[in-house]
Amino acid sequence: MTLRNRATIVALAAVLAAGSPAAAGNHHATEGPSSLGPVFVLDGGRYSAFDPPDGISANEFVDLNDRGQVAGTYVDADTGASHGFLREKRGRFTRFDAPGAIDTYVAEINDRGQIVGTACDSEPCTQYGFLRDARRFATIRKPGAVATQAFGLDDRGRIAGDYLDKGGKYHGYLWANRKFTTIDVRGAAGTTLMGVNDRGDTVGLYFESDGSIHAFFRDARGRVTTIDAPDAKLTFPADINDRGQIAGFTTDALPLPTATNIQGFVLRNGPTGPVTRIDYPGASRTIVFGLNDHGSITGVYENPTPAGGAPPKEDR
């Protein structure tokens, strides 16, 4: 799954360890995460890390809720297909797929245990959103759209995402009570929403006709604030919690496989900063995707020592 604006394709977590010979040849250790792209949780200043099911690197987004549940995506080593997982606080995994999907990509989990994401039911991929709860899956398809993606979810069940119209333009949307509301940044060539909180604030990306990408915060009244980190090629706002804190990552190059500097961040006071940088200790690249209402953070990192030892404490 990708986010794209015309000629630019922004691949996400699957690129973390791509082309890293030093890491790729280092699978002999017996402790700690063994994959090249493990999931981490930063809670109370301490890092913990784990491999997704079957020890395969995490792919795309990962998120956590206030109950300590973590949801994300992993890749089947034999088939290359993507599947969803739910990890309970004590470490038990549940694997799942959207019904009829050949690929399932998880984006976010709320405090009710509901999960949203995007699935494909054909090859090449025809994207549609889904909502999973304890009772059923619901399919999220914007009527008349070529493709629909679901990325954000609040505790009221509102979903944020984007859809592609027949003219090739991306539009952000909010989905509530089975109804779509289109959300576009005025004057932009395309818009996507990545997260929504219980107050109705959203974060996302908007695309310019020249190919540039900008992060934004939109409050419940519709006022938009652009968020561009200094010297970053891309500022990616992945999530927003009910306190208005924003989490994501920055990169110095696109597409991501060419980037040498990928760092997580949190805006603890909202879109105006200041910025708290998140780097998994010892890792050369860190991507932050999820943020709960307690301020705990999750994401993926490039494993500097695959299968080697316990994660270090945060140094601040």
Side-chain angles (χ1 to χ4, degrees):
M1 184 175 64
T2 55
L3 281 168
R4 58 183 73 81
N5 77 312
R6 302 191 184 276
T8 302
I9 296 179
V10 184
L12 296 176
V15 308
L16 276 177
S20 178
N26 221 350
H27 287 272
H28 55 277
T30 58
E31 297 180 358
S34 61
S35 67
L36 297 177
V39 176
F40 75 86
V41 174
L42 174 57
D43 182 21
R46 294 179 177 271
Y47 286 91
S48 59
F50 64 88
D51 290 317
D54 304 324
I56 305 301
S57 297
N59 182 37
E60 303 289 342
F61 300 96
V62 62
D63 190 38
L64 80 167
N65 61 18
D66 291 352
R67 296 157 55 187
Q69 295 175 304
V70 177
T73 309
Y74 72 99
V75 179
D76 187 294
D78 295 324
T79 67
S82 293
H83 309 280
F85 72 82
L86 171 65
R87 184 181 188 269
E88 302 294 340
K89 189 172 183 177
R90 295 187 177 181
R92 182 174 64 88
F93 281 101
T94 299
R95 301 165 174 82
F96 64 88
D97 291 295
I102 60 174
D103 284 297
T104 298
Y105 304 96
V106 167
E108 196 155 322
I109 182 171
N110 67 13
D111 292 341
R112 297 160 60 185
Q114 296 175 310
I115 296 171
V116 296
T118 300
C120 299
D121 58 7
S122 62
E123 185 63 45
C125 180
T126 300
Q127 296 165 325
Y128 63 92
F130 68 82
L131 172 65
R132 175 190 185 269
D133 62 25
R135 297 174 298 171
R136 61 185 177 87
F137 274 85
T139 298
I140 314 298
R141 296 183 191 265
K142 176 69 168 67
V146 175
T148 306
Q149 300 186 105
F151 297 120
L153 176 68
D154 70 7
D155 293 332
R156 298 166 57 182
R158 288 182 298 193
I159 295 172
D162 69 21
Y163 66 89
L164 179 64
D165 69 21
K166 294 179 180 179
K169 182 176 180 177
Y170 281 91
H171 303 270
Y173 73 80
L174 286 175
W175 182 89
N177 300 319
R178 300 186 175 273
K179 294 183 179 180
F180 285 87
T181 300
T182 296
I183 306 291
D184 285 331
V185 172
R186 183 176 299 178
T191 303
T192 185
L193 295 186
M194 300 306 307
V196 57
N197 65 18
D198 290 352
R199 303 188 304 194
D201 303 325
T202 57
V203 291
L205 299 166
Y206 69 89
F207 313 130
E208 304 267 24
S209 57
D210 64 0
S212 59
I213 310 172
H214 304 278
F216 72 89
F217 163 82
R218 180 182 185 273
D219 68 22
R221 296 183 178 182
R223 294 174 295 192
V224 172
T225 302
T226 297
I227 308 169
D228 284 329
D231 302 321
K233 183 69 174 179
L234 172 68
T235 302
F236 192 105
D239 201 4
I240 182 169
N241 66 14
D242 290 345
R243 297 159 62 186
Q245 298 173 328
I246 300 167
F249 66 91
T250 62
T251 177
D252 63 353
L254 291 175
L256 285 187
T258 66
T260 59
N261 191 359
I262 304 177
Q263 301 168 342
F265 71 83
V266 175
L267 298 171
R268 298 197 182 277
N269 295 326
T272 59
V275 175
T276 298
R277 177 172 159 177
I278 306 297
D279 288 317
Y280 188 90
S284 59
R285 295 190 280 187
T286 303
I287 295 182
V288 170
F289 285 128
L291 172 72
N292 69 16
D293 293 332
H294 302 311
S296 301
I297 297 162
T298 190
V300 296
Y301 68 96
E302 184 173 66
N303 195 348
T305 55
K313 299 178 181 179
E314 183 183 22
D315 184 16
R316 288 192 178 177

